[in-house]
Structures are given as C-alpha cells and as structure tokens.
Amino acid sequence: MSYNAIKKTFDIGDGRQIEIETGKLAKQADGSVVVKMGNTMLLATVVSAQEAKPGTDFLPLSVDYQEKYAATGRIPGGFLRREARLSDYEILISRLVDRALRPLFPDDYHADTQVMITLISADKDIMPDALAGLAASAALAVSDIPFNGPISEVRVAKIDGKFVINPLLSDLERATLEFIVAGSANDIVMVEGEAKEISEEEMVEAIAFAHEAIKVQVQAQLELAEMVGKLEKRVYNHEPSNLELKERVYAATYDSVYAVAKSGLSKKERSAKFADIAEAFALTLGEDVDEETVFLAKKYFHDVQYDAVRNLILNEGIRLDGRDVRTVRPIWSEVDYLPAAHGSAIFTRGETQSLTSVTLGAKEDEQMIDGAFINGYSRFILHYNFPGFSTGEVRPNRGPGRREVGHGNLAMRSLKQVLPSQEENPYTIRVVSDILESNGSSSMATVCAGTLALMDAGVKITAPVSGIAMGLITDEKTGKYAVLSDILGDEDHLGDMDFKVTGTSKGIVACQMDLKINGLKWEVLKEALYQAKESRLHILNEMLKTIEAPREDFKPHAPRIVSLTIDKEFIGAIIGPGGKIIQEMQRETGTTISIEEIEGKGIVQVFADNKTSIDDAVRRIKAIAAKPEVGDVYEGKVKSIMPFGAFVEILPGKDGLLHISEIDWKRYETMEGIFQVGEIVKVKLLDIDKQGKLKLSRKALLPRPEKKQEPENKQEQ
C-alpha cells in the first residue's frame, strides 16, 4: 500500500529548492509535514485538544525540537546510547519556533497544543534550525487548528559583503552578521542573532532582506493548504464572556489602578496596591459567586491593568516607576567583589542585579558539545542562573529552564564577539551570572556584568559591551506609539515588544526581538534601534567609571598558561608510549599539559598555578622537542658503554656516540673505569652524518695540553 503524498516545491532565490510534503507520515496528528532541503529533512507534527481545560486563560503551547542521531549517522554518547533530554542547542531552536508561533494564535484560543519538530535526516552543510519554523507553520497550515499565519523563519547572513538566505554552514565562518528572522507575509515577529559591530542601518537592511524570503515561504504554505483543502479551521469557544461584569470591573477599578500606576511606587509596593484593589472588588461580588464569575473578574482586572498602564504611557509619557520613555534607571557597579574568583563584578540597574564571576581554566576544561548536528568543543562558557528569591518568590531550584538557557545564550553571543583570539588568550573561560534581583532585563545585566568581570580578570577583550532592553506601546486606533528604554518586568508583560540590543561603542554585536502585535513599521524599528544605541552608550559610560580597560595582568591567584609551538614530529615523543611521558611530566611538575595538532604544527599548552611548575615543564618539553645542532654543548647521560666508546643521551630520545678517542686528549686503551652508566657528562656535538647518527666529543671541551719541550743539551742533564 502506498500513500499519495502532496508536495509543494519552491526556490529560495539562489537555485536551491525546498520541498514540503504532507499526507505520507504521521497521519493521525492534526497536521504533519516533512520539509526537505538537500539531504536535510524535518518532520513536524502538531496536535491540539478539541476543548480547553476549564479556568485556562492562556495558550498552553509546547514546542519541542529534537535531533535523531541516526540523521547524521551517529550513535548517541552516554550510558544509555539513546536520545535523552533536549540539549541546550535543541532548546534554543525550540524557543526560536515557539517565539515565532505564539503571537499568531488567536488570543482566545486556550486548548493544549503541542508542536514537535524532529530532524530525521541531515546534510552536514545545511543547518536545520533555519527550516524548523517553516516546518512547524506548514504543519499548522495543513491542519484545522486556528492560527493567524502562516509564518516562516530564515537565517540571513552577510558573507563577503552580500546578504545570503540560509547560507551553508561552511560559509558562516566568514559572516559579519547572522540573524534568524521570523515573520508573516506582512510583519516581522521575531529576530535573534549576532554581528561584528554593525550599524543600525545594516541591521534593518538585513531584516528587510530576510522578510522578502519569508514572503515566498508563506505563499508556498498557503498554496499547500489549498492543495490539501484545509483552509477552513475548527470552531471553538474557549473564553466565556460577561460584558456586564467587564463594565463593572472597569468602572470600579480603572481610576484606582491608573492612580497606582502613576504613583511611581516600587515593584513590590505597586503589586500590593493592585492586589488590594482586586480584593476590594472581589468582595463586592458576594460570597455565593460562581467560579466562572471569579475567573472572569480576574481576567477583566488584568485587562484594566493592561489598559491603564498603556494609556498612562501614551497619554502622559509617564511610566510605572515615574520615568519618562528615554530615561535609564540608576546604575551602580563594582569589580573585584569576590576575592577568590579570577574575576568578578556586580552590576545593578534599578531593581535588577547580577553578580557575575569569571573562571580561567585549561584546555581540559572545555565544554564538550555532543549533539546530532552540532558537536565539538567550546572554550567559552556562559551560565545564567535565575533563583526564585530574585523576584521575591518561593520556587524550588530545579536547574536551568528554557528561559535561563535562552537568556544565557544571548549574553554568550554578545560577549563572544569581543573575546581575544585563542593565540592571545589560550584559557577556557567560564562566566557565571547569578541574578540576585530582577525587574526587567536580567539578560542585559548579565552582558554588562560579564564585561566588567572579564576586564577584572585581565581578559583582553577587544571592546566593552553593554546591553539594553527596549519596549513598545502602541494604539492601533489613534496611531500613537511610545518606544521605551530599559523596560520593567511589567512593561515587558503589558507591552507590544521586547527588543534587546547589545553592542560596543562601534556597533551592534547581538540582538533579540519579540513582537506581540501586527504591523511594526520600519520607521518605528529604526527609532527603537537608535534610541537603544543612545541608552546602551549611556550604560557603557557608567560601566567605564568602574573599570576602564582590562587589567594589565591576571590576578596573583589566577592560573597561568604557556603555549609552545613545536614540529608535529615531536608530538608522539612528548606524549610517549601509552601517554607515559606526558603523564610523568604532569605528575612530577604539578602541571596540566595538553597537546594537539593544528595546521601541521604541534600546539602544547602548560597550565599551572605557579611559575616554578610551568618553567620546569616547559624546560622538559623544549628538551624533547629540541633538534640537535652541530657545535652546541650538552649535558648528557651515559646510557651504555661499549668497548669502543659510550653512547650518551644528549636530548630525550637522542643518543650520540662518544668514541673512546674523543673522551680525552690522552689515549685510552680500554673503556674500563672511565664512565658509569647514568653518569652525567658534558659533550659537544661535532657532526650529524647522513644516517642521522650523532658524533660527540668530550675532548673538544677540554684544554689542549701543551707539548713537552726537549732539553737543548742532553749532556747537561
């Protein structure tokens, strides 16, 4: 039996084709497609419950991207040898798709919905993350699930001065910018990526270029849906309403909420006041009120807060903490706070605070990345922690969630752009940001604190980086809008945009933008970018008051690394049979030694926390890797004694013959009693013959004896 699959193929603009197929796999899902580009294939499925759970006033959407190791012909590592929990890379791709899809579901659709995207085949040069959003949206397009799409995602990069859509992995190394952009046919909904200090104009140009490619992919999905016959969506009613109750809530609470919003209170005080207003209204409902009324009253009160805060900003230009739209909250910072760390900093902006540390490690401290598509090692690690107490909540510590992984990745992208080269900085670097307070953009606080901590550690970053979170409030009816600098947590929740931008004084190095509305105009985006530049430069100036540049040297207690470059022929000699030589050196010198071949040369790194240990190990390594030079003098060890001379080891593994005639100026008839095995003797290298044999001389280092003069008149004796 065979299925008649429906396929839609389109060109991405440079001759490469993408194929979307449905009707062949996973037919019991509400929607399923296979997206194929080259040998890369993604299976996307979507299932949504027919009814929403009672009392649900949000969309319970879960998006999971997973890579099958078989897709790249690999067997998973670990004891179980099977795919386990999602890796950070898979979580980041899941977040990219989630952030693109979520704003496009109807506001009143509250049914449990699950999107699953699986990499089932991989082309090693075609990155699957740029196709995941297309696959998820196409699965929704061929289903009956309500969705205000389609959308798509593309990667846009600038390579050799030209914009490219979904570039090959091998070409990305030459990119000066790289963004994942998601959008519908009319609007951009999500942007995330990194760049090498680009201008605001170049960023807008890149997003616009990506949007043109997105439009083509959206049209292909619409045509596929028409071919399948799934243009009609299911009928649902997930949100009860009570217009009379809504009017009561607004009439009773709006003025009070507006007054609290305008009062400029702290987050905790403001939340308490809002809770008092809500509780006072709840008492007016009586004791016998049903659950649906209670549910709707809470929902309508949230709507009151939403409208009051937004109207306050649009009509009076006043924000929840009393600032105007451009003002950044007060900033203070400190470095060298943790005396035992290799570098540390505190960065506080308003009610957001990060305590960040830097640890310098050896090559063995690298992070191993064992994914199906991406695998290898990373020498720069950034971890972001967000405990419950940072927002005054009781929350069990269950390790980092998706939010923490995403925020840490944004900070990592930002700081990675200014790290020195491996030759200049051979350390493995771990940055850890612990958020101690949070009320707005702790990820940007991590970027700022990370910059300060790296400079405190003596890491020679090329330029300091600062970051800012921007917001947007719009009114479609009046056309009014306000771009907000340094948004609060509530402004993020109640606003229309969360736009994080990081950069140096020269330009943008990373960004993350999420939109919750349709119709962001390019002029507004440009205004937000320029206002962000003004704010992040202000923050940067405040940071530089604490520390202007990286310290000249590492902390006294920080470990040291010495790098040596040797001919690759000596790599085996340094390692020794079964690692015997290198292990012995590490044990006897108290160092950590790593060695690898890069571009035909051996790169040796010696890591220790004191100079004496490093000097000892370096001396031994140089001795092993040294080439004998004719005319040089060596202190060698007698390895064996023969009737015709002694074999002396002048360098590790390098023996030469000290012939009996080269021991002394006087003549020896036998070797008996001259040397003992293991004795140290100073010799000079006289010659290296064509077979590589070494000719040594001890005699050449001894003064030549004067000849005895014969008496002129022997009779006088």
Side-chain angles (χ1 to χ4, degrees):
M1 180 179 178
S2 63
Y3 291 107
N4 294 320
I6 299 173
K7 299 180 180 181
K8 175 64 184 177
T9 304
F10 61 91
D11 192 308
I12 68 170
D14 57 6
R16 291 180 294 165
Q17 302 282 313
I18 292 179
E19 177 187 278
I20 312 175
E21 177 187 82
T22 189
K24 190 171 186 177
L25 301 184
K27 295 184 68 177
Q28 293 193 47
D30 289 332
S32 70
V33 300
V34 172
V35 170
K36 182 178 181 182
M37 182 177 179
N39 288 335
T40 292
M41 298 172 67
L42 294 173
L43 168 65
T45 62
V46 58
V47 177
S48 187
Q50 292 293 329
E51 298 294 336
K53 293 179 181 178
T56 303
D57 62 348
F58 64 97
L59 173 65
L61 172 67
S62 63
V63 178
D64 291 316
Y65 168 85
Q66 186 175 39
E67 297 178 341
K68 298 296 184 181
Y69 277 72
T72 55
R74 299 182 61 224
I75 295 175
F79 179 77
L80 296 176
R81 298 293 181 185
R82 68 175 298 167
E83 290 82 3
R85 65 176 293 275
L86 299 185
S87 67
D88 284 0
Y89 176 71
E90 290 167 318
I91 287 172
L92 291 170
I93 297 176
S94 300
R95 278 174 51 86
L96 287 174
V97 178
D98 185 303
R99 288 159 48 204
L101 295 181
R102 193 176 292 272
L104 273 297
F105 280 93
D107 291 338
D108 59 353
Y109 189 74
H110 305 320
D112 277 324
T113 304
Q114 183 180 44
V115 178
M116 298 184 68
I117 310 129
T118 307
L119 177 68
I120 56 177
S121 177
D123 186 316
K124 292 184 178 180
D125 220 13
I126 297 177
M127 300 182 72
D129 55 355
L131 303 173
L134 167 63
S137 177
L140 285 164
V142 299
S143 76
D144 67 342
I145 299 170
F147 182 64
N148 298 324
I151 60 95
S152 193
E153 290 179 341
V154 299
R155 170 177 275 104
V156 58
K158 196 169 191 179
I159 300 172
D160 301 332
K162 296 181 179 179
F163 288 117
V164 181
I165 296 296
N166 293 355
L168 299 177
L169 177 61
S170 56
D171 291 333
L172 268 184
E173 293 181 357
R174 308 196 311 276
T176 55
L177 64 82
E178 175 203 346
F179 297 129
I180 292 285
V181 181
S184 64
N186 299 317
D187 304 303
I188 297 296
V189 296
M190 191 277 300
V191 179
E192 179 159 332
E194 59 191 73
K196 299 187 184 301
E197 298 178 298
I198 64 169
S199 67
E200 285 70 19
E201 294 87 349
E202 193 171 3
M203 181 173 170
V204 172
E205 189 179 354
I207 296 172
F209 186 83
H211 195 207
E212 293 304 312
I214 287 170
K215 292 176 183 178
V216 174
Q217 301 189 10
V218 166
Q219 183 59 35
Q221 294 176 65
L222 291 173
E223 293 174 8
L224 179 69
E226 189 173 0
M227 293 164 66
V228 174
K230 281 289 185 181
L231 296 179
E232 293 293 328
K233 301 299 181 180
R234 70 179 64 164
V235 177
Y236 66 94
N237 181 17
H238 297 165
E239 195 170 277
S241 62
N242 185 329
L243 295 181
E244 181 182 351
L245 177 63
K246 184 175 183 178
E247 290 177 2
R248 279 183 61 193
V249 172
Y250 266 76
T253 65
Y254 182 88
D255 290 343
S256 299
V257 168
Y258 192 95
V260 171
K262 192 176 179 179
S263 64
L265 295 172
S266 68
K267 177 183 177 182
K268 185 175 290 188
E269 293 172 322
R270 185 170 61 248
S271 297
K273 292 287 187 181
F274 284 151
D276 290 343
I277 296 170
E279 185 177 350
F281 178 80
L283 292 174
T284 67
L285 297 176
E287 296 181 358
D288 299 328
V289 64
D290 59 88
E291 290 185 5
E292 182 175 296
T293 301
V294 172
F295 168 78
L296 287 174
K298 290 180 179 179
K299 177 186 179 303
Y300 294 144
F301 183 73
H302 177 271
D303 293 343
V304 168
Q305 290 178 285
Y306 180 87
D307 288 342
V309 172
R310 292 166 64 89
N311 289 338
L312 176 66
I313 294 171
L314 289 173
N315 297 331
E316 301 189 49
I318 300 174
R319 298 163 65 177
L320 286 170
D321 57 1
R323 286 180 293 151
D324 61 28
V325 296
R326 305 183 84 93
T327 300
V328 176
R329 287 171 290 175
I331 293 169
W332 71 265
S333 57
E334 180 180 338
V335 296
D336 201 19
Y337 180 73
L338 304 175
H342 299 156
S344 64
I346 305 171
F347 178 85
T348 306
R349 186 193 65 248
E351 296 174 297
T352 297
Q353 184 178 74
S354 169
L355 172 62
T356 295
S357 62
V358 169
T359 306
L360 305 176
K363 184 180 186 303
E364 283 67 25
D365 296 313
E366 290 177 329
Q367 181 182 30
M368 183 176 71
I369 301 170
D370 182 29
F373 186 79
I374 300 293
N375 56 84
Y377 294 87
S378 173
R379 289 195 175 187
F380 180 53
I381 307 162
L382 193 148
H383 290 146
Y384 166 100
N385 300 314
F386 191 81
F389 67 77
S390 65
T391 53
E393 298 174 273
V394 177
R395 189 169 66 241
N397 186 5
R398 296 286 185 260
R402 293 192 176 194
R403 177 185 180 278
E404 285 83 352
V405 172
H407 279 37
N409 180 68
L410 177 59
M412 184 276 294
R413 282 176 177 266
S414 304
L415 297 176
K416 180 182 70 174
Q417 304 299 324
V418 298
L419 290 179
S421 66
Q422 184 175 324
E423 291 74 22
E424 295 174 296
N425 185 85
Y427 289 98
T428 295
I429 302 174
R430 181 180 184 235
V431 178
V432 178
S433 171
D434 290 301
I435 302 303
L436 307 184
E437 290 184 63
S438 180
N439 183 14
S441 195
S442 51
S443 63
M444 296 297 93
T446 296
V447 172
C448 299
T451 293
L452 294 171
L454 285 168
M455 292 198 290
D456 179 55
V459 177
K460 302 300 188 290
I461 59 175
T462 58
V465 181
S466 63
I468 188 70
M470 308 296 293
L472 178 69
I473 304 292
T474 60
D475 186 337
E476 293 183 7
K477 295 179 180 178
T478 64
K480 289 182 179 179
Y481 71 90
V483 177
L484 312 180
S485 294
D486 182 20
I487 57 174
L488 302 170
D490 286 341
E491 291 171 339
D492 180 8
H493 176 63
L494 300 173
D496 299 324
M497 178 179 74
D498 179 13
F499 190 7
K500 301 180 178 73
V501 188
T502 67
T504 67
S505 60
K506 294 181 180 178
I508 296 168
V509 295
C511 76
Q512 184 183 90
M513 180 175 75
D514 293 301
L515 282 170
K516 308 168 189 176
I517 58 165
N518 297 327
L520 178 66
K521 297 178 181 179
W522 294 111
E523 293 75 16
V524 177
L525 177 58
K526 289 179 183 178
E527 181 178 333
L529 278 169
Y530 281 110
Q531 192 168 319
K533 180 179 181 180
E534 171 190 300
S535 298
R536 61 182 173 81
L537 290 179
H538 163 74
I539 294 171
L540 185 59
N541 288 332
E542 294 297 308
M543 292 164 54
L544 295 180
K545 292 177 182 177
T546 301
I547 183 170
E548 293 183 350
R551 298 192 187 279
E552 290 298 320
D553 194 9
F554 303 114
K555 301 288 179 67
H557 57 278
R560 298 298 196 267
I561 290 182
V562 171
S563 289
L564 303 171
T565 301
I566 62 172
D567 290 339
K568 68 176 182 179
E569 63 188 89
F570 295 113
I571 293 177
I574 293 172
I575 295 173
K580 178 182 178 182
I581 302 298
I582 195 170
Q583 289 173 13
E584 183 180 274
M585 276 196 291
Q586 290 181 118
R587 183 174 60 254
E588 293 180 355
T589 63
T591 60
T592 299
I593 302 171
S594 65
I595 184 167
E596 60 183 335
E597 183 182 337
I598 299 177
E599 297 179 354
K601 290 288 185 180
I603 306 299
V604 184
Q605 289 189 351
V606 185
F607 180 91
D609 57 6
N610 67 86
K611 187 176 185 296
T612 302
S613 295
I614 286 183
D615 289 345
D616 189 8
V618 168
R619 178 183 57 78
R620 297 187 187 203
I621 292 167
K622 285 183 175 179
I624 295 173
K627 291 183 177 180
E629 296 288 343
V630 173
D632 284 355
V633 177
Y634 301 91
E635 287 189 352
K637 181 186 290 187
V638 177
K639 301 293 287 186
S640 61
I641 300 173
M642 309 297 288
F644 51 82
F647 284 98
V648 180
E649 184 184 53
I650 62 170
L651 293 170
K654 306 280 191 313
D655 295 351
L657 174 63
L658 177 59
H659 193 267
I660 192 171
S661 64
E662 292 291 338
I663 294 175
D664 205 330
W665 287 102
K666 64 183 179 181
R667 183 181 178 84
Y668 289 104
E669 298 295 337
T670 175
M671 288 293 296
E672 186 175 349
I674 300 176
F675 296 125
Q676 292 182 349
V677 173
E679 183 178 344
I680 302 299
V681 58
K682 184 177 285 188
V683 294
K684 183 177 182 178
L685 179 58
L686 296 181
D687 189 31
I688 304 174
D689 67 15
K690 293 181 178 179
Q691 284 75 41
K693 295 180 179 179
L694 310 181
K695 181 181 179 181
L696 307 176
S697 174
R698 178 176 174 269
K699 180 174 70 174
L701 299 176
L702 300 175
R704 189 184 187 108
E706 295 181 4
K707 290 183 179 180
K708 291 182 180 180
Q709 294 184 355
E710 296 290 333
E712 293 182 4
N713 189 348
K714 293 184 179 180
Q715 293 182 353
E716 294 179 358
Q717 294 181 358

